[in-house]
Amino acid sequence: MSELKDVYLYFANGLSLKAKSFGKEGTFVGEVVFNTSMTGYQEIITDPSYAGQFVVFSMPEIGIVGVNDYDNESKNASCVGVIVSSYNDCVSNFRSQGTLADFLKSRNIMGICNIDTRGLIKLLTQEGAMNMIASTELSHIDDLRKALESAPDISQINFIEQVSTKTPYTHTDSVFDFATFTYAKPQKPKAKVIAIDFGAKRNILNELTSVGLEVEVMSHTFRADEILARFKKGEIQGVFLSNGPGDPLVLCDEVEQIKLLIEANIPIFGICLGHQLLSIAHGYPTHKLKFGHHGGNHPIKNLQSNVVEITAQNHNYCVPESISQIATITHRNLFDNTIEGVRYNNKPIFSVQHHPEASPGPKEASVLFQDFATLCLSHKA
């Protein structure tokens, strides 16, 4: 690998650092969060929920397994950049089709290395997620500070418009079979659902088809009346609300449409952002966590089975405790006791904050997809 170019970092708290750049060069602004996963950096980078963010990896060595076409969670990568302790450009993996550096460059993502990520993660846990600017073009602190101060805050940006599909389509893939390196054949559809794309990961859609659901993906600009008309005709049996990036309180139009779905008593399953939007639509606004939950090794307790499950997580926002007034809390995070899942009282609606599809991470909570399929099959319009 050729000699790496200097990159200059400036954080909202006034910290400035000098590192090396191995991805796209230029000037980038975003919110800094950290991820505790030990594997799966390609899935993390291509997760649309990271739109507008720099991801700090706690795993110190990144790049050795390269990248491949199978591990993308979306067609594009939405994160602003990645920050690692040590980047390896020498690929050693039989599945690899290229280097991470080339992958980032082709997708306009900055790569930052040769930095004390342990110290940076400690800072984020103490002071919380914060905005940062990184540049291979600007080096003076005053220039970096002015550019950062003039940039919009992540809470003011509707990232859904960037990551949601523009046209409806039917998702036909199922879960990936690593024994044959092909996608498993989906079950014969037993029911059909509409998946609202707020930035859906591919493996969430794969899991839905794997339990016998025909999945039609629609844009975040969906109209509830059109969906409900099809529900009443028996053309569809449920609605899935996907994960996605940004502050859910920004999505006022989407919340209004979700309210109409709730009133119609249609089966609904929400994951991550979908979970948060359901809470807001019920009248219980979300709040931002100090540094969020991002990783593939987060323990939660399933309060219904009394079993501890290790889960994949990627969120900065949380539903309030007061939601227990209208819903049963089904899951809790064992790191900070925040709510990880709810089932709404007297309604065919449930949601979880964690990612039962993993990718990367364990799939101990994947039974939730079968629960949704069962709900769709048993509930009548």
Side-chain angles (χ1 to χ4, degrees), residues 236-282:
I236 62 169
Q237 286 71 48
V239 174
F240 172 74
L241 304 178
S242 85
N243 63 295
D247 188 339
L249 293 175
V250 173
L251 307 178
C252 300
D253 293 340
E254 290 82 354
V255 167
E256 290 304 312
Q257 296 303 310
I258 292 172
K259 286 180 180 179
L260 297 176
L261 297 177
I262 292 171
E263 292 171 1
N265 212 36
I266 185 172
I268 304 176
F269 175 32
I271 288 178
C272 203
L273 179 63
H275 164 77
Q276 297 160 10
L277 291 174
L278 280 168
S279 176
I280 296 169
H282 277 91

Side-chain angles (χ1 to χ4, degrees), residues 7-11 15-20 83 110 112 115 120 132-135 144:
V7 57
Y8 298 87
L9 285 59
Y10 183 83
F11 295 78
L15 173 68
S16 60
L17 298 172
K18 180 181 177 182
K20 293 293 183 178
I83 303 176
M110 175 168 274
I112 300 170
I115 196 168
L120 182 53
M132 182 196 85
I133 184 171
S135 180
L144 292 167

Side-chain angles (χ1 to χ4, degrees), residues 71-87:
D71 291 343
N72 290 330
E73 285 299 316
S74 63
K75 292 181 180 179
N76 301 308
S78 301
C79 67
V80 176
V82 298
I83 303 176
V84 305
S85 174
S86 177
Y87 169 64

Side-chain angles (χ1 to χ4, degrees), residues 325-338:
Q325 297 172 12
I326 63 165
T328 299
I329 298 174
T330 58
H331 302 77
R332 281 200 179 273
N333 190 295
L334 294 182
F335 281 154
D336 59 9
N337 206 42
T338 52

Side-chain angles (χ1 to χ4, degrees), residues 41-53 72-82 103-104 106-109 162-163:
Y41 58 74
Q42 185 177 342
E43 293 97 320
I44 293 166
I45 292 169
T46 55
D47 181 348
S49 294
Y50 281 110
Q53 294 178 322
N72 290 330
E73 285 299 316
S74 63
K75 292 181 180 179
N76 301 308
S78 301
C79 67
V80 176
V82 298
F103 182 85
L104 297 181
S106 68
R107 288 162 175 78
N108 200 40
I109 299 173
Q162 302 175 19
V163 299

Side-chain angles (χ1 to χ4, degrees), residues 67-232:
V67 294
N68 64 77
D69 293 337
Y70 301 109
D71 291 343
N72 290 330
E73 285 299 316
S74 63
K75 292 181 180 179
N76 301 308
S78 301
C79 67
V80 176
V82 298
I83 303 176
V84 305
S85 174
S86 177
Y87 169 64
N88 294 279
D89 202 53
C90 181
V91 175
S92 179
N93 185 275
F94 73 100
R95 299 177 65 223
S96 177
Q97 297 170 329
T99 69
L100 177 58
D102 289 339
F103 182 85
L104 297 181
K105 291 173 183 176
S106 68
R107 288 162 175 78
N108 200 40
I109 299 173
M110 175 168 274
I112 300 170
C113 63
N114 293 12
I115 196 168
D116 179 8
T117 51
R118 293 182 66 183
L120 182 53
I121 291 172
K122 183 177 181 180
L123 171 69
L124 295 174
T125 59
Q126 293 173 341
E127 300 193 26
M130 67 181 76
N131 282 356
M132 182 196 85
I133 184 171
S135 180
T136 57
E137 302 165 324
L138 305 175
S139 59
H140 197 282
I141 290 179
D142 289 340
D143 295 334
L144 292 167
R145 182 179 66 251
K146 290 177 182 178
L148 179 61
E149 291 175 349
S150 64
D153 188 83
I154 191 172
S155 63
Q156 302 170 350
I157 303 174
N158 185 344
F159 291 103
I160 307 302
E161 296 174 347
Q162 302 175 19
V163 299
S164 179
T165 184
K166 299 298 186 291
T167 56
Y169 66 94
T170 298
H171 184 81
T172 56
D173 287 338
S174 187
V175 292
F176 190 73
D177 184 352
F178 283 96
T180 62
F181 286 95
T182 59
Y183 288 99
K185 185 178 180 180
Q187 290 189 31
K188 183 178 179 180
K190 304 171 185 175
K192 182 172 182 176
V193 298
I194 298 294
I196 307 302
D197 179 15
F198 300 119
K201 291 175 62 181
R202 182 174 66 173
N203 269 291
I204 287 180
L205 303 179
N206 291 349
E207 291 284 356
L208 290 171
T209 62
S210 74
V211 295
L213 294 173
E214 182 180 348
V215 181
E216 180 181 338
V217 185
M218 295 182 66
S219 169
H220 73 104
T221 58
F222 74 99
R223 308 308 299 175
D225 56 351
E226 296 176 4
I227 292 176
L228 294 175
R230 296 175 64 183
F231 176 60
K232 291 176 181 177

Side-chain angles (χ1 to χ4, degrees), residues 360-373:
K363 294 192 175 185
E364 296 179 14
S366 61
V367 68
L368 292 169
F369 293 102
Q370 184 59 60
D371 292 345
F372 181 47

